Amino acid sequence: MEQAPLDPERQLQPAPLEPLGRTVSGLEAAVGEEAEGARHAGSGVDTMTENNFWLKKIEISVSEAEKRTGRNTMNMQETYTAYLIETRSVEHTDGQSVLTDSLWRRYSEFELLRNYLLVYYPHIVVPPLPEKRAEFVWHKLSADNMDPDFVERRRIGLENFLLRIASHPILCRDKIFYLFLTQEGNWKETVNETTFQLKADSRLKALNATFRVKNPDKRFTELKHYSDELQSVISHLLRVRARVADRLYGVYKVHGNYGRVFSEWSAIEKEMGDGLQSAGHHMDVYASSIDDILEDEEHYADQLKEYLFYAEALRAVCRKHELMQYDLEMAAQDLASKKQQCEELATGTVRTFSLKGMTTKLFGQETPEQREARIKVLEEQINEGEQQLKSKNLEGREFVKNAWADIERFKEQKNRDLKEALISYAVMQISMCKKGIQVWTNAKECFSKM
């Protein structure tokens, strides 16, 4: 028998879910008819086939954040933040009122949704969640995850996370995501019924595959290195920005001293008093403007942080491919070993040292009947192994095809988003400098009138 060729590419298709119960709501009424017509027949998963279906039919927003207290799984009192998700159907052309659904979710439920998506869609660069605790903070910012400003930025990040999923051509069609938006009660139980945790790959297994895979795909290796470098570059950029914010805050606030000094000076001058007082006022306005400026900067920093966390999502796709490649190589190795055993039994020659060969020398040869029985078992195992290897090769090609299609989609998104963010940040800096020039121009006019 000829050994099946070793293909380094393999894909894990998401296991089908059992059909899930549906909730009747305003959102369901708005999109149900179109959704029913677009679902895959007999797929085992209620999905919607039209790309960006959700964003074309509904508006999704995380509109509020609320501090709450309750009992955790250990029956201990805890304080947490809940977020109000609102889904609103697009208004009908016949003038019917807009239907709105709303429900509250904790950050941990967003984490559960993302963990489920990572397991069932391993070939997709799953959008990241905003940070759970503040990173790259400067001295004026609080690292407390209950700080109102941080909670507000995280609310915006969670909304962006949902919009990323809703605009993804595959993730937007997932039934669990749909229920996340519409089913408040028993949603966790519904997710756990998919048993996705049992399908998750262990960290130890992934690490083992990374070091033991013999023929890694060069493209995924390069992508892994790129994700490491991207994370490093954005981390450095965020650290530099935090240091600049610290110093800029100090420079602006020091201008408040100008205002105080000019005001004190104006009190002892008659002819120059009004001009000094006006100049001091301009300096006070300039000093206080930095708070709003740096608050706006934090939103640009959060856009960079999103792609800092996207780097890990890229590595997750690479790790999955390494695991699949490692399993493929182990299957090929096992098949080659069985073929060798079968050949040795058929010819009566032993190519390599084995415990079985030593036992034969010590206790004599097997009977022809025993040898034939072993050969028959090995042939069955070889046939099964060849089928498995063929299946893994087909899965590998499909995985690489789907993964690279999504990676290309991600690259276009990344280039567009980062370009817009950096340009907007530069425009904001230019505007800030112009305001500074205007303040000193106004001060100059005040001095000129003295």
Side-chain angles (χ1 to χ4, degrees):
M1 302 178 186
E2 294 183 358
Q3 182 175 345
L6 180 63
D7 192 320
E9 303 167 350
R10 175 175 177 251
Q11 182 218 20
L12 177 64
Q13 290 281 12
L17 300 178
E18 294 297 324
L20 301 172
R22 300 170 59 200
T23 57
V24 179
S25 62
L27 173 62
E28 177 97 12
V31 302
E33 184 177 347
E34 293 87 345
E36 283 296 329
R39 289 191 175 113
H40 291 292
S43 65
V45 188
D46 286 340
T47 57
M48 297 159 198
T49 57
E50 184 181 357
N51 288 356
N52 299 343
F53 175 82
W54 286 114
L55 291 186
K56 293 180 180 180
K57 297 296 180 182
I58 65 172
E59 297 174 357
I60 302 173
S61 65
V62 180
S63 57
E64 294 181 32
E66 182 178 281
K67 187 177 180 180
R68 296 181 177 182
T69 57
R71 297 279 179 179
N72 59 19
T73 54
M74 303 296 291
N75 200 32
M76 297 176 64
Q77 191 78 8
E78 67 171 348
T79 302
Y80 62 92
T81 304
Y83 298 89
L84 180 63
I85 302 174
E86 292 186 335
T87 49
R88 178 174 301 180
S89 63
V90 177
E91 187 172 3
H92 293 182
T93 56
D94 57 6
Q96 295 180 11
S97 60
V98 175
L99 302 173
T100 303
D101 286 305
S102 63
L103 48 78
W104 293 89
R105 295 286 186 204
R106 295 184 58 173
Y107 184 88
S108 58
E109 292 177 288
F110 283 87
E111 288 182 311
L112 183 61
L113 172 63
R114 186 172 188 274
N115 289 336
Y116 158 82
L117 294 175
L118 284 170
V119 171
Y120 271 89
Y121 302 94
H123 59 283
I124 288 176
V125 184
V126 178
L129 288 166
E131 56 193 349
K132 193 167 187 176
R133 289 176 177 78
E135 299 179 16
F136 304 101
V137 297
W138 52 287
H139 83 279
K140 184 70 167 52
L141 292 181
S142 172
D144 181 10
N145 64 340
M146 289 295 177
D147 177 75
D149 291 335
F150 173 73
V151 170
E152 172 61 16
R153 293 198 308 276
R154 189 164 68 177
R155 179 197 65 78
I156 295 172
L158 291 173
E159 179 177 290
N160 184 63
F161 168 72
L162 294 180
L163 293 176
R164 291 285 195 201
I165 297 175
S167 63
H168 193 282
I170 296 175
L171 298 182
C172 72
R173 306 178 325 206
D174 186 85
K175 185 67 174 182
I176 293 296
F177 172 57
Y178 166 69
L179 294 178
F180 181 85
L181 300 175
T182 59
Q183 177 180 302
E184 187 163 14
N186 300 321
W187 179 79
K188 288 184 179 180
E189 290 75 7
T190 301
V191 179
N192 291 330
E193 285 174 3
T194 67
T195 65
F196 79 94
Q197 296 96 333
L198 300 177
K199 300 177 178 67
D201 299 310
S202 70
R203 292 181 179 272
L204 182 60
K205 184 179 179 182
L207 184 64
N208 184 49
T210 298
F211 288 104
R212 297 187 64 182
V213 66
K214 296 178 181 178
N215 299 298
D217 190 307
K218 185 179 179 181
R219 293 169 295 177
F220 284 93
T221 301
E222 292 175 350
L223 180 64
K224 194 174 181 180
H225 291 161
Y226 168 77
S227 65
D228 291 339
E229 292 170 357
L230 178 66
Q231 186 176 44
S232 176
V233 167
I234 295 181
S235 295
H236 290 321
L237 185 59
L238 288 167
R239 290 191 186 97
V240 170
R241 184 260 157 189
R243 291 198 298 270
V244 170
D246 267 328
R247 296 184 182 183
L248 196 62
Y249 182 82
V251 168
Y252 268 69
K253 290 303 181 183
V254 166
H255 279 71
N257 294 333
Y258 280 129
R260 178 177 56 80
V261 171
F262 287 150
S263 296
E264 292 175 354
W265 191 2
S266 68
I268 64 173
E269 298 288 350
K270 293 183 179 180
E271 291 80 4
M272 299 195 309
D274 291 342
L276 290 170
Q277 185 70 35
S278 297
H281 170 71
H282 288 301
M283 293 298 147
D284 289 337
V285 172
Y286 184 65
S288 62
S289 67
I290 190 61
D291 296 293
D292 291 336
I293 290 172
L294 292 183
E295 183 178 341
D296 290 340
E297 272 199 17
E298 285 304 314
H299 294 296
Y300 293 111
D302 288 338
Q303 291 177 351
L304 290 176
K305 287 178 183 179
E306 181 186 19
Y307 281 93
L308 177 73
F309 304 140
Y310 254 124
E312 175 56 30
L314 285 173
R315 285 196 291 269
V317 176
C318 296
R319 284 196 299 268
K320 185 61 184 179
H321 183 267
E322 287 175 341
L323 271 171
M324 297 164 67
Q325 174 66 22
Y326 178 68
D327 288 343
L328 177 63
E329 291 178 358
M330 291 300 99
Q333 182 177 319
D334 183 62
L335 179 61
S337 176
K338 284 183 170 58
K339 286 185 175 182
Q340 181 177 330
Q341 293 177 41
C342 188
E343 181 182 346
E344 290 174 352
L345 283 172
T347 59
T349 59
V350 180
R351 296 181 182 178
T352 58
F353 172 82
S354 67
L355 181 61
K356 183 64 179 176
M358 182 62 69
T359 303
T360 300
K361 290 182 179 180
L362 292 174
F363 301 103
Q365 293 286 340
E366 295 176 315
T367 63
E369 292 78 11
Q370 291 174 325
R371 188 165 58 252
E372 287 298 325
R374 287 189 58 204
I375 290 174
K376 184 177 180 181
V377 170
L378 282 171
E379 287 178 343
E380 291 176 355
Q381 293 176 347
I382 289 170
N383 288 332
E384 182 180 347
E386 287 177 337
Q387 292 300 318
Q388 289 179 352
L389 194 62
K390 181 179 179 181
S391 175
K392 290 178 187 294
N393 279 314
L394 292 174
E395 289 174 352
R397 286 191 287 272
E398 190 68 17
F399 178 89
V400 172
K401 175 185 174 182
N402 293 337
W404 278 105
D406 196 66
I407 289 167
E408 290 300 321
R409 178 204 60 81
F410 167 76
K411 287 179 180 179
E412 292 179 4
Q413 169 194 302
K414 171 185 66 71
N415 294 341
R416 181 178 61 252
D417 290 350
L418 291 180
K419 177 182 177 180
E420 291 178 359
L422 292 172
I423 290 175
S424 298
Y425 182 75
V427 169
M428 189 191 73
Q429 296 297 320
I430 293 170
S431 176
M432 180 179 66
C433 293
K434 286 181 177 179
K435 289 179 181 178
I437 292 172
Q438 187 61 49
V439 165
W440 281 105
T441 301
N442 293 338
K444 176 187 174 183
E445 293 176 357
C446 294
F447 297 149
S448 298
K449 294 176 181 179
M450 291 190 303

